[in-house]
Every structure is written in structure tokens, then in C-alpha cells.
Amino acid sequence: MIDFDLKTLWERMRSARLVRVLGVYFVASWAVLQAIDMLSAQFAMPRWFFPVALGLLVVGVPIVTATAVIQSVLVPAPCDDDAPAVVSPPATSRLGRWFTWPRAIMGGVLVFVVLGSLGATVVYFRNQGDGLRSDAIAVMPFHIVGTDEDLWREGMVDLLSTALDATGQFHSSDPRAVLNRWRLVSRPDELPEPLNAADVAGQLGAGKVILGSMIRTGQNQVRLAADVYSVRWVRKEASVQVEGREDQITTLVDQLSLELLRSIWRGEDVPEIQISALTTSSIPALRAYLEGERAFRHSQFSDAQKAYTRAIDADSTFAMAYFRLAQTYGWFMGLGAEQVPTLMATAEKHSQGLPERDSLLIRGWKITDVDGNLDAIPLFRGLVTRYPDDLEAWHGLGDAIFHMGSQAGLPITASIQPLERTLAIDPTFAPALIHLIEIAYREGDGERARRWTDQYLALDSTSLYAKSFRLVTALSYGSAADSIRAATVVDRADSDLLGWMMGRMRLSGADLDVFETVALEAAEPRHSDEERAMAYWNLAVAHIRHGQSAAAADYFTRSASLGGDGYQQGIYNIVVTASELGVSVDTASKILLARLGTERRRPRNALTVAAIQNGAEAEALAMIDQIEERADTAEARGNASFARSLRGEAITLRGRVAAAHDSIDTAISQLRTGLSMINATWSWSRDLDRYSLAQLIQDRGGEEEAIAIYGSLYWNPWAEAIGYMRRAELHERRGETEAALRYYARFVTLWRDADPHLQPQVEAAKRALERLRDERLAS
């Protein structure tokens, strides 16, 4: 046992200046903590960073103390010449090799280097690191005090985002995406803080985030303030404020935007921007528009429509209000749809000065909904490339593919990815769910239909969309009990709900039994003659899709007797077309054609084609001339889009005449030219020309294009099944077994119960399925 002289030890501790050592350590620790506090404020270091650093410094106290004491024992104490030298005990000598000042200092430095590296790594990758765009800014919900919180909290996000977008130097993250992401990570009453705001902005790829406030300072006086933070480092880069009258809010937003740009601008000159030019100079119009935006985001289309109308009443040059109003009419299934072309044209007319993104959105939706121009699809694809977090761009792409993708040779499922991307940005955006559910119905996908319907009903449970989805999904894919309950509701449903249900199944629903249940209920005598005529018409079209022309002729006859001249003309053209393709050749169809043929008034594609097939070329050319005369009349009345489509029809018909003369190359050229001019939403008439084009291209060896056309006739009730059969045959010829099996199966599913004169084709498809399955098993 080693005996220590405590008095001598204390003298050595004093000689080692332990108190001074600890004093120096505590001063250095304070300096380190100050530096860490500054770094945390500047770069928003992780919350654990400061406590861990403090803990490490506390752990260092006993290590420094032990080192000082042990080193003092190892160093000989000063003594008289007559006094014996103090020799270090062996145990203390061993500890002395570990507790040295170089080891202590290097250990402390190493620990804090590791801590700093971990903190910097977390900060760097916290917001996708290099994935952040330095030119992208996310505007967070404003803190509102003393004024209309419901209006301006989210409204300022729209206004300031629009103003910054207009500079051309910055891209504002989609306000809807920002607001939705913020709702997912915060409480309703929570205010954005730099760290959680940066997290939201980082998810959208924004390199900067703006936190702002709007405070009433007096009667009709407000102060706007905004702070700009770096998203990666959560470091404040600019802080500005402006003050003025609340009824001049757009001017204040202009001033605020300019002050922000002066603080963070990277170029030489700050551009002149006016939010009043981008939106409106009318405060009542602005308030109504922002109310409409809030309703539109929650898919309350009726409320949004009223608000946008008030905005236009207050400012007749408000481009974005016209654009949004047109969109709301587009979601009411024909109710007011005739106003969409005028509203979109007016929006485009007043779009001068809008940010490029907004003007492109208006352009894209106009050429989709009004012009039916296939250029809309690449336009929206370009937008989502430039603005990958923009909900409007993704929804525009999904909507364009849904309505026109077939005319570009795309399957209907091609619209699923952009629509799901829309929902990833904002899961509360019900319009995307509407088309997704309709796709599931057409594809017979019960799992997706149920999942997407549940998601929609969680957002909206009262509209006609909600009621129709609930019933159709239950009838088609619900349990037996759900189907019975839904059928009971259908028995008592009014004509609006029944019509909405048929519209959701897109007239020729995948499940004919369910469609027939709804349509026959809509044809009951308690409804008006017009409603009953439409129900019978829809039901006849559905039966044509399934190759049941005799039943279709019966329903068409009932529809014609109730609907008047307009229905008779349309029915005649439909049956002529079905006869051209060999779908409708039964006695009932011939009788219906003979009766309606004497009542036709205007030439249509089907009538002209029938004349060409019957060798009556002079009659066909005369009807083509009449179509061109109608185009001239339409253009003189200002309807350029309709006139262009009519001229396209005339050119495709001249291509049909050329094909009858075996001038195949000329026919292909004219069909291509004409199709490029016809409104792509006129899918029924375009598909007949596309089918003929595919046959000619196939004869010329263009199998790839022919396959794409044959498989994309899914909106055409009389050409869809035939197209699947032709595509399956081509796939089989090319040795593409899986694709051939898929399209033979689709054909058999549609025409399983077709009329007797069509059954030979069904039997041929069944034999092909058996043959290919046997070959696959054998291989």
C-alpha cells in the first residue's frame, strides 16, 4: 500500500497551478460554447448539437483535473539540498503515460472535430444537399395580426409568389404545394419557424424560404415584413418591411418584393414589377379571387365559381380569374361548358404581363379544352421539367393525356403517373382523384377504384361527384351488402345523380350490367323525355361497344322517338359508322338506318364514307365541298377552332377517296394532314380516320405505328374491340406472345356476348388465346 503525504501532494498541486489550469479550461469552454451558439444560429445546427457539446466539455473537467494532478506528482517538487528527493509511485508513473497534456489536448480537439463533422453532414443533407435550386423560393403562410387572417394568411403566399415569379430570376414554389406540405407538418395554429419552414421548402427543392408577417398598425394601415432564409443553412439572408394602406395591398406587395430583390438580387438591375398588372388593381376583385383559390384548392367548385365570378365583376381584365372560372365550368359535366372557350380566350387575351409559368398554364389548358391541340401534351411535359414541384403543371399533363392521349397513341393508363404526382404534391386535390377513379372504372381495376374512391370521399362527401363515386364503386366492386344498398339508392335517385353516374362511367362503362342498371333507371317515365332519350342513347352506345347491335338498335329507336331531330341525326351517323366497321349489320339496324336516312340534313364523315364505299364518288365529293362551306361559315362567325376542324375533316375524307383509288401514299399524307387539324377531343370521329390510317400504314410495313393506333381506340365504342383484335394479330405475327395474349383477352372480354354475326371473330380470338397459352406452357 502506497503512503502519500497529503501536505506534499497539495504543495505539488499548487506548484502545478491546478487552479489556473481549470480557470483556463473554463474560459476556453465558454469560448467554445459561444462559437457553437453562433454556428447554431447561423446554420441551424441540429438541436442535439449544443447539448452534446456541453456534455463533452463537462466530461473534460475530470480529465483535465486528473491530468494536472498526475503530472504534478510526476514532476519533482522543489526541495532543500538536505531533503530526500520524492520518487513517483509506480502506479502513478503508469497513469502518467496516459494522462499527458498532449493526449488531453489532442483528444479534445479530435472529439470536437468529429462532432462538428457530424453536425455539418446533418445540415448539408437535411434539405437534399445539391438538390436545392438557388433560384427557387418558397413563400410560407404569413403571420397575420389585427386583420383578415383567413384571407391573407394564405393569400399572401399567392401574391408574393406571383410577384417573385414575374422577375424571371426566381421561381416560386407552387403555393398549393407549400401550403399542403406545411399543413402536414404543423398544427392549424402553428406559425412557421425557420427550421421547420426550411424543411418544407427543402422538400420542394427550394433554395430559399420566406417567412413573413402582416400586422395592422392603425385604421386601414398595415405593415408587411419578410425574412429570407437560406434553406440549406437556415441562415437569414435578408430582412425587409414596408408600411401603408390595406386597401393598397398590391402596391405594398410590389414594394416588399422590390426590397427583397434588392437584398438578394444577383444581377445588375432590379426589374420593375407590378403585382396589380399580374393579378388585379381592384382590392374587391383580389379578395374574391383569393377566396375562390381557397375553395378551388379544396375542390369546392361551386363556391369557387361564385367567387371567381365576383372577381371578374369587379375587374373585367382579371386574366387568372377568367382562367380559373373556365376550369370550374369544366368540372360540371357540360353545365355551362359552352362558356369555357370564351372564358379561356379572354384569359389568354389579358395574360400579357403574367409570369411565364402562368401564361403557359393558360395556354396549355386552352389548347387542351378548346382547341384539342395535341401540342398541349409536350407543352405540359416541358412545364413539369422546368417546374418539377408545380401542381398545376402536373395536373395539366395528366388531364391532357386523359382527354387526348388516345389521339397521340397513348394508353389511358399513361395519365396515372402525372395525376398521382399531383396528389403527391397535394393529397387534397380532388380533381386528380376524379380522373383516377374514372380510369379504374374503365380498366375494371376494383382495388384502385375502392382506394381512390375512399380517398376522394374523405375530401368531399356531398357533391354529385362524391355521390356518384360512392354508388358506382359499391355497385361494381363492393360487397354483396354494399351493392344491394347502392341499388336501393339508385332506384330512388333523381335524374341529375343518374346522369352523373353514367358520366363517371364514361358512357360505355367496363361493367355493362352496372351501366344498364343505372341507364334503365334514368329512362323511367318519371324523368323528362329529354333525360330518357339521353339514357337510351347512352345505353345503345354501351351495347355497340360490346358488339350487341340488335339491342343497340332497339335503344336507339326509343331514343329517337323521345329526343327529336338532334338525336335522330346523331343516331343515324353512329349506326352508319358501326355498319362501316361491320359491327352493326343486323335487320334491326338496317330498318333503323332506312327510317332515319330520309331525315338527315347535314353531311358527316360517316355518310361521306358510306358514299365512297358504295362507289358514289360524285356524291361523296359534293358532301366534302359542303363541309368546307360550313368551315367558311364558321370562320366568318369567328369560330376559328371549329372551322379548322371542319377543314381537317374534309381533308381526311379526300384521303379516303384517294385510298379508294389505291393512291395509298396520297391517302396516308392527306389523312395525317387532316387529323392534325381536327380537334383531338373529337375522338369518335377522329378514331375512324385513325383506324383507316393504321390499316394503310400497316400495308406499308409501319407496324409500330399501327399497333399504337389500334391499341388507343378506347374512347370509341364501335372501334375499340376491333382495334384490340387487330393489335393482338400484329403482336402474334411479331412473336410478342404476352402482348398478343393481353389484347386477345381484352377483345374477348368486350365481345363475349356479342351478336351472332360477330361470334366467329370471338371464337377466332379464343382459339388464338388457347394456342398461345399452350405454346407458352410448352416453351
Side-chain angles (χ1 to χ4, degrees), residues 333 495-496 498-509 511-512 515-516 518-520 522-523 530-546 548 551-552 555-560 567 571 574 684 717-718:
M333 204 180 76
S495 57
D496 285 343
L498 294 171
W500 217 266
M501 291 175 70
M502 287 187 286
R504 305 288 62 77
M505 289 185 279
R506 290 295 181 186
L507 306 183
S508 50
D511 192 328
L512 181 59
F515 192 88
E516 193 161 30
V518 176
L520 287 176
E530 174 69 20
E531 292 163 345
R532 295 174 66 200
M534 179 58 71
Y536 282 131
W537 189 89
N538 287 335
L539 191 52
V541 170
H543 278 278
I544 281 184
R545 181 183 185 230
H546 289 271
Q548 299 172 11
Y555 289 128
F556 274 138
T557 300
R558 300 185 196 185
S559 179
Y567 279 89
I571 291 168
I574 287 174
W684 283 17
W718 49 82

Side-chain angles (χ1 to χ4, degrees), residues 151 280 282-295 302-318 321-322 325 329:
L151 177 67
T280 177
S282 166
I283 296 300
L286 178 60
R287 284 180 174 273
Y289 174 77
L290 293 176
E291 290 173 8
E293 286 291 273
R294 189 166 55 205
S302 181
D303 292 341
Q305 191 175 91
K306 295 173 184 176
Y308 294 137
T309 300
R310 292 199 307 274
I312 291 170
D313 288 342
D315 181 356
S316 61
T317 66
F318 198 168
Y322 282 108
L325 183 59
Y329 277 116

Side-chain angles (χ1 to χ4, degrees), residues 405-450:
S406 66
Q407 304 304 304
L410 299 173
I412 193 171
T413 52
S415 58
I416 291 178
Q417 187 271 333
L419 292 174
E420 287 191 319
R421 180 72 178 89
T422 305
L423 289 172
I425 296 172
D426 184 357
T428 67
F429 190 66
L433 282 166
I434 290 173
H435 283 337
L436 286 171
I437 296 169
E438 292 171 340
I439 292 169
Y441 289 164
R442 282 205 60 88
E443 294 294 292
D445 190 336
E447 189 279 327
R448 279 179 163 174
R450 287 189 295 269

Side-chain angles (χ1 to χ4, degrees), residues 371 640-650 674 677-680 682:
D371 302 334
S641 177
F642 184 61
R644 176 181 170 85
S645 293
L646 288 175
R647 291 197 176 95
E649 282 190 342
M677 298 170 64
I678 301 174
N679 192 314
W682 296 13

Side-chain angles (χ1 to χ4, degrees), residues 368-660:
T368 298
D369 292 345
V370 180
D371 302 334
N373 190 327
L374 291 174
D375 288 342
I377 295 176
L379 185 154
F380 281 117
R381 281 183 171 147
L383 271 176
V384 300
T385 300
R386 294 174 58 187
Y387 306 105
D389 65 325
D390 196 298
L391 177 144
E392 297 284 357
W394 282 106
H395 181 234
L397 178 59
D399 192 82
I401 293 175
F402 179 84
H403 289 290
M404 301 191 303
S406 66
Q407 304 304 304
L410 299 173
I412 193 171
T413 52
S415 58
I416 291 178
Q417 187 271 333
L419 292 174
E420 287 191 319
R421 180 72 178 89
T422 305
L423 289 172
I425 296 172
D426 184 357
T428 67
F429 190 66
L433 282 166
I434 290 173
H435 283 337
L436 286 171
I437 296 169
E438 292 171 340
I439 292 169
Y441 289 164
R442 282 205 60 88
E443 294 294 292
D445 190 336
E447 189 279 327
R448 279 179 163 174
R450 287 189 295 269
R451 171 160 53 87
W452 285 331
T453 297
D454 289 343
Q455 189 173 346
Y456 184 89
L457 293 177
L459 304 172
D460 170 25
S461 60
T462 60
S463 71
L464 282 171
Y465 279 114
K467 294 175 182 177
S468 61
F469 285 144
R470 183 184 292 112
L471 292 175
V472 173
T473 301
L475 286 170
S476 300
Y477 307 110
S479 64
D482 288 340
S483 296
I484 292 172
R485 283 193 292 270
T488 301
V489 175
V490 169
D491 288 342
R492 301 191 303 268
D494 59 29
S495 57
D496 285 343
L497 178 55
L498 294 171
W500 217 266
M501 291 175 70
M502 287 187 286
R504 305 288 62 77
M505 289 185 279
R506 290 295 181 186
L507 306 183
S508 50
D511 192 328
L512 181 59
D513 292 337
V514 172
F515 192 88
E516 193 161 30
T517 297
V518 176
L520 287 176
E521 189 63 38
E524 286 292 310
R526 71 175 186 273
H527 303 297
S528 70
D529 286 351
E530 174 69 20
E531 292 163 345
R532 295 174 66 200
M534 179 58 71
Y536 282 131
W537 189 89
N538 287 335
L539 191 52
V541 170
H543 278 278
I544 281 184
R545 181 183 185 230
H546 289 271
Q548 299 172 11
S549 58
D554 177 52
Y555 289 128
F556 274 138
T557 300
R558 300 185 196 185
S559 179
S561 66
L562 293 167
D565 292 346
Y567 279 89
Q568 293 178 17
Q569 179 70 40
I571 291 168
Y572 180 76
N573 285 292
I574 287 174
V575 179
V576 167
T577 302
S579 299
E580 173 196 343
L581 295 174
V583 178
S584 179
V585 297
D586 57 280
T587 302
S589 299
K590 292 178 180 178
I591 293 173
L592 182 62
L593 279 175
R595 181 168 72 83
L596 296 178
T598 59
E599 301 169 7
R600 68 183 188 276
R601 290 176 175 78
R602 292 184 298 182
R604 289 285 195 269
N605 282 26
L607 309 182
T608 310
V609 170
I612 295 170
Q613 290 180 332
N614 293 330
E617 185 174 316
E619 181 182 351
L621 292 173
M623 286 192 285
I624 293 172
D625 290 340
Q626 291 180 46
I627 292 174
E628 291 176 335
E629 290 172 4
R630 290 181 59 213
D632 293 338
T633 301
E635 188 163 26
R637 292 175 178 174
N639 197 338
S641 177
F642 184 61
R644 176 181 170 85
S645 293
L646 288 175
R647 291 197 176 95
E649 282 190 342
I651 293 172
T652 60
L653 289 171
R654 295 190 187 281
R656 296 288 195 99
V657 173

Side-chain angles (χ1 to χ4, degrees), residues 63 70 92 102 173 201 204 209 235 364 372 411 468 484 505 513 522 595 618 699 751 777:
I63 295 174
I70 291 171
T92 306
S173 297
L204 299 172
V209 63
R235 181 177 59 229
S468 61
I484 292 172
M505 289 185 279
D513 292 337
R595 181 168 72 83
D699 291 341
W751 275 14
L777 288 174

Side-chain angles (χ1 to χ4, degrees), residues 31-92:
V32 169
L33 291 176
Q34 291 300 309
I36 290 175
D37 187 55
M38 181 184 68
L39 289 172
S40 297
Q42 286 294 312
F43 301 109
M45 301 298 282
R47 289 187 174 92
W48 51 260
F49 191 74
F50 188 92
V52 169
L54 180 61
L56 291 173
L57 290 171
V58 171
V59 170
V61 172
I63 295 174
V64 169
T65 301
T67 301
V69 170
I70 291 171
Q71 290 300 314
S72 70
V73 172
L74 292 174
V75 177
C79 56
D80 298 333
D81 293 339
D82 296 334
V86 178
V87 180
S88 299
T92 306

